[in-house]
Structures are given as C-alpha cells and as structure tokens.
Amino acid sequence: MRPVEIAGWGLSSHFGRSDRQHLEGVRSNQPSLKRVLFSEFSDPFEASLLLLPDADWAQPAVRLERMLVEATHDALSMAGVDAAQRSVLPLFLGSSSFSIGIIEARYRSGLLGGARAVPLAGLAGYGEFLEQTRGMLGISGPDWVFNTACTASANALLCAARAIAAGRLEQALVIGVELANYTTLAGFAGMQLLASGPMRPFDRRRDGLVLGEGCGALLLRAGKDDAPLQFRGGASRCDTFSISASNPDGSAIAAVMADALADARLSASELIAIKGHGTASPLNDDGEAAGLVRMFGARRPPLFLLKALLGHTLGACGAMETALLAMALQAGILPGSAGCEQPDPALGQAPQQTPQPARPGSYLLNFFGFGGNNCALVVDWHGAHQ
Amino acid sequence: MIGIAAAGEWYASYQRDGATGLIDLSAAVRAASRQPVRRIDRFIQLALIGSVRCVGDRKLPAATGIYLASGAGPLSSIAKVHEQMLAEGLLPKPAQFINTLANTAGFYTARNLGLDAQCLFVSRGYASFEAALELAGQEVGSGRLHAALVGSVEECTWPLAHHAERIHRPEAQSLAEGSIWVLLEPGGATCRLEHISTLAGTTTLKEWLLAQNPGGWYWCSATLDPAAAIVVQQVAQGQEWVSWPGPGGTSPLAAAVAAVRFINSGQEGVLLSINADREGWYQVCRYRLTNSA
C-alpha cells in the first residue's frame, strides 16, 4: 500500500476562512455562539448556532457557495493543483443535509406565494448537488457522494485514502459540507438534543449539542513516507444496537478504534492523542467514554474534543475537524477541549482542557453518527515544516 | 477477481396517467423481516425487501459490508417532514426525523441480516450503483471485507406528478421504484465482476470498448450523451454484441436491473454495461457468467 499525504486543506467555519482565524480560535478555546429564536414553529424554540461570519440565514444558497468555494480553493491552492489536474480530479463529498436548506427556502417561498407548493420540488437528488458543486469549484472527474449522517465526510476521507493507497487513484479532493437548515434544527430540537447554552462535551453539566455550519476540504495524494501529514489508516463499522445511540457498553466504539489501529498497523500505546467525537449529548458521551475505557483502560492517550469550537457540523465534521487538526499540528498546537470545564467523573475520562504543544506521531480521530455509523481515522504528523 | 455470489430484486414501474396508488409493501416486508421492525418508511421497506431477495436463506458473516446506492434517497420521509414543519409549524417526531437520514435504511438492513461491518450510503445520480459497486469491490478485493452487499434503492412518492417534480423529470410518464442487490465475494462465483471503472471522454470509451472481445451482450443507458451512444452502437455492431434488455426509461435503478437480470439469467457469456451520469464521463462494467465456479 502506498503512503497517502494530506497535501492541502481549507476550512470555512464560523471563525472565518484563514488558518490564522482558526488558530486564534484554537488558542482562545472559545467559539462565538449566536442565539437564535425560531418563532416559525407552533412551539417556538431558541437554539445556539455557529454560523458563518456575517452570514444571512435567509440566503442559504449564498452561504453554501461561499463555504464550498472558500475551503476548496484554499485546499487546492495549498496543494498546488492546477487547472489541468482539476479537470480530472476525483471528488469524495460527504454531507448530511446537502442543499436541503435551499429546498426548504424554495418550498417556504411557494407556500407564502399562495401557489400550489410541492415539498422537495426540484430536489433532483444528490447528483444535482454534486453537479452544482463541481460547477462552483471548476472541477471534474469521478465522484462519490456519501451520506452517513455525522460520519459522511469521515467515510469519504477513508474511502478516498484507500483508493489512493491501493493505486486506483493518484489524488482526490475530499469535501465535507454542512449548511444550517430548518430540517436539522427542528429534528434535533424534537429529539431534545440541543444544548440550552454552550456545548459542554464530557462535562458534568452537558445537556446537548450546538449545531454549526461550514466546509472542510482536504487534498489527498500518493506521497512519500516523510510527508508532514499523512493519512495512516482507519475503519468504519455499523453498530446495530440503536438507530440513535451507540451501545452504552462501549463495545462497538472500541471495536472501530481497534480496527482503525490494526489498519494503521499501530498499537494503542503508540498513539499521541485521541480526538473524541464528543457531541455533549448524555448518551453519546457515555458510549464514547465507555469505548475509550474498554479500548485503552487506564493508559489512555490524551483526549481532546473539537465540536464545541466548530459546532457539531454533522456530515462535515470528518473533513472540518481533520482540517482544523492539520492546521493546529502544523502550528505545533494540540487543541484543547472547549466547553469542558468540569469533566464528568462518571465518564472516567478527563479530556485535555487547554491547548498544549503538539508532539509528532499518530493521532486517532473518532466520528460517530445516527444509524450506528462509527468511523475512526488515524493521521500521522511528522513535525512542523514551516 | 470479485465474484457475485447472489443477486435479487424488487422492481415496479408506474404509468402516471393510469396508476391509482403505490404498491403496498407490507406483506413483502413481513416476509423479508428476520426480526420485528417498527416505524420504518417506504425507502427502508424497499431496502429490506431487496436485500433479503438477494441473500435468500444464506447466513452472511457479520463482517459483510453494506453499500446502499441511491440517486434521490428517502424522499417520502423528507417530504412529509417538510410539509409538517414548513406548512404547519410542527417539529418532526424523532422517528420521522431519523427516517429522513439516507443511511437509516442501511442500519435496518444491517440489523435485519446481523451485519456489523462498514455500512455506507453512496450516490452518483444515474450511476449510483456503479459508485457503490466500485467502493465495495475495492474492499472485498483487498480482503478487508469477507463480502459486501451492494444495493440500488429508489422509492416513488405519491402522487406521481409531485414525484416527477421532485426528481426533476416533470415530463416523465413512466416512473420506477425498486431495490436491486448483489452480493460480492472474493473469487470463485459463477458470475464475476471482471472490470469496473470510470472513463473520461468518448475516445477513451471507444478504446475500452474496442479492447473487449467480440460476442456477448451489452447494456447501454438511456442517459448517455448522443456522441457516446453512437460510439457504443458502432462498436457493438462491429463486435457483434447483442443488446441486453434493461428496464427502459431513465432511472438510477436501470444499470442495476440490467446487471441483476443478466446474473440471474443463467446464460453463459459476458455483459458489458455502459452508464453515464453526465456528459463526458462513463461508468463501464464487465460481468462474466460461467457454468462453473
């Protein structure tokens, strides 16, 4: 199998677009929450959100194009992908809601206009979203769209890396994108999974998640063993215990981490740190903590959590959190765990709360989603080359 | 070499002017369910029915992957949630919301068959089946998976006029839904997936076609652009390939239907499948059926 280099990355989030803006966010360990009242519902509710800076909620198409173009342009520029390469560039795209925010706006407009409105009219499936995305980004090539809830772009990363490692592809662009929308908000509100205030993963006061929007893009290519950042391995499994929560005994989560380490040919003791999924919902943090205890026992590597920083960006979190980690490692920073100020002793896991100097080595990244979809990735960082 | 150990389908097409409703799937779901299922939508029902028709009485190893392909996903659940939420201001119930997620059908399929390996939902418009088949073939070929179920699932929504608007085919008179599955295993089977790839441009497509042996069957999607369709017809005539019947019309299910009907036909020989989701990019597969594994 060939080494797979992470040759470029881009990130568009509530922090902004640049590495500088994101690294300031990592160092400050503080997201900039926006509290929004959704009065359109018969039972109005408030939710904290992490939206693109200066974003107009009423202009979903503008927000979507902006985040896609910003993140992808930066990833391709960093990796030096020219126009000729873009014309045949394979694309692996993960999202959970795609352009549903735009379809909602169209339907709502039809309802307000008094015309016969058909929900989802003009949706045309995921293919059309892909076509529009390729058009915005000026790229072409074979493509795969992944929709596995919150693991969508993590699975996209895994599949792209395996295709490169096996020699089927030379390089691939991986995108995770999530546009905030009513369907997701209302769905999480209906499941009582939204935090009443800030998101507090693994904290004793945790009461739910804060949704975020954004886009992460990574350019993977066949590389050399000494590339600064490498995709080392990973695994993806299905936990059929429950459609909306992982097995609380931690067995399914331990299994996917074990598979990922085996795929990366690593032992548990060789890991530098673990990025937890950490959604701050009571059941999911319980399941992840149980999985960590089962897998690592008392010798667990340091744990850090990124979702309170970026928001839970659902299908985009695989690409966005990997891109944020890439930025941080290249700056020599191991991020902390924003929102976790009083670690819950019942979990048996105390995440690293504040940023620390990063050490070269292997990092495990956990991503879990509805539908029992569990994915774990391993990334190697060989030290800053700046 | 990737073997196709089993194939199965559930497929229906409706004429917009004559249909009085969608086919009731209740009995077929009961027959397919190896354990009780509740609060599932039509998309999940279809996935359960098709996957079990493929697998039959086999007990699959738990490390069998699932690759569920669809061009449009669970439309009926999303449409219902949107109507309630945007027209009436209601929050979706948890089960309703969960059913709007594309991979929920994969979860129920995995649970029904006792599987715990990779379970992906993959899309590429009209060529979604090939997108999933390529990923699954990679994992089975590398030995990471003992086997993989690859399914192409599309549902219709009622009324069909609304469905046609949802899938951007307002003029369509015939609309199809179905659940078409194959079981991939390493080597050995009577049917083999010998080749699968995506080709760029008609010149590359022509070169690939000319490199194939004379004789056998070919299936060509109605979604091919005219230039590519002419290339396929010309080469097919020269190579004396016989057209393999597909389900007709344009649907993301078409390539899977043609392949599964070939696999289950029992006729020895080769089927070349040529599909496209957009102009200039072509998905090609070569299936070989033999009487001895």
Side-chain angles (χ1 to χ4, degrees), chain A residues 223-265:
Chain A
K224 298 173 186 165
D225 279 330
D226 62 348
L229 270 161
Q230 282 190 1
F231 186 95
R232 174 83 180 248
S236 179
R237 295 175 64 99
C238 185
D239 173 7
T240 56
F241 174 79
S242 160
I243 188 77
S244 57
S246 60
N247 192 328
D249 72 4
S251 56
I253 284 173
V256 78
M257 291 190 291
D259 281 3
L261 291 181
D263 188 57
R265 299 173 305 282

Side-chain angles (χ1 to χ4, degrees), chain A residues 21-39:
Chain A
Q21 288 166 313
H22 285 102
L23 291 174
E24 280 175 9
V26 168
R27 289 190 182 100
S28 74
N29 223 14
Q30 288 291 331
S32 52
L33 285 183
K34 184 180 283 186
R35 197 79 185 154
V36 181
L37 171 65
F38 291 91
S39 56

Side-chain angles (χ1 to χ4, degrees), chain A residues 50 121 180 182 250 260 262 291 321 325 356 369 384:
Chain A
L50 289 164
Y182 283 105
E321 293 180 12
L325 180 61
Q356 305 289 326

Side-chain angles (χ1 to χ4, degrees), chain B residues 182-253:
Chain B
V182 296
L183 175 64
L184 303 188
E185 288 180 352
T190 55
C191 185
R192 289 170 197 149
L193 174 63
E194 290 188 333
H195 179 89
I196 179 167
S197 64
T198 300
L199 306 176
T202 51
T203 303
T204 312
L205 174 63
K206 188 173 185 176
E207 288 170 358
W208 185 82
L209 291 168
L210 287 170
Q212 309 305 308
N213 291 330
W217 289 273
Y218 76 103
W219 174 81
C220 181
S221 170
T223 58
L224 251 65
D225 54 89
I230 290 169
V231 164
V232 174
Q233 295 300 328
Q234 287 175 341
V235 177
Q237 276 187 356
Q239 300 282 66
E240 298 183 338
W241 295 332
V242 178
S243 176
W244 181 261
T250 54
S251 160
L253 295 167

Side-chain angles (χ1 to χ4, degrees), chain A residues 41-42 108 116 119 122 124-126 128 134 140-141 143-145 147 162 168 183 237-238 243 263 370 373, chain B residues 71 82 85-86 89 98 103 107 116-117 119 121-124 131 134 139 144 162 165-166 168 278 281:
Chain A
F41 294 90
S42 53
R108 185 182 288 275
R116 181 189 68 95
Y126 309 98
E128 177 141 318
R134 281 194 304 261
S140 195
D143 45 47
W144 290 263
V145 167
N147 190 350
R162 284 184 174 172
R168 291 181 68 88
T183 310
R237 295 175 64 99
C238 185
I243 188 77
D263 188 57
F370 284 154
N373 214 288
Chain B
H82 274 204
M85 182 180 69
L86 298 172
I98 291 289
N103 64 315
F107 169 86
D116 65 8
C119 181
F121 177 97
V122 184
S123 187
R124 187 193 281 158
E134 197 169 356
E139 294 301 283
R144 280 199 181 90
H162 288 188
E165 286 190 50
R166 286 185 183 122
H168 250 202
R278 59 190 156 119
W281 293 89

Side-chain angles (χ1 to χ4, degrees), chain B residues 125-138:
Chain B
Y126 288 110
S128 295
F129 179 63
E130 289 89 338
L133 200 58
E134 197 169 356
L135 293 177
Q138 180 177 292

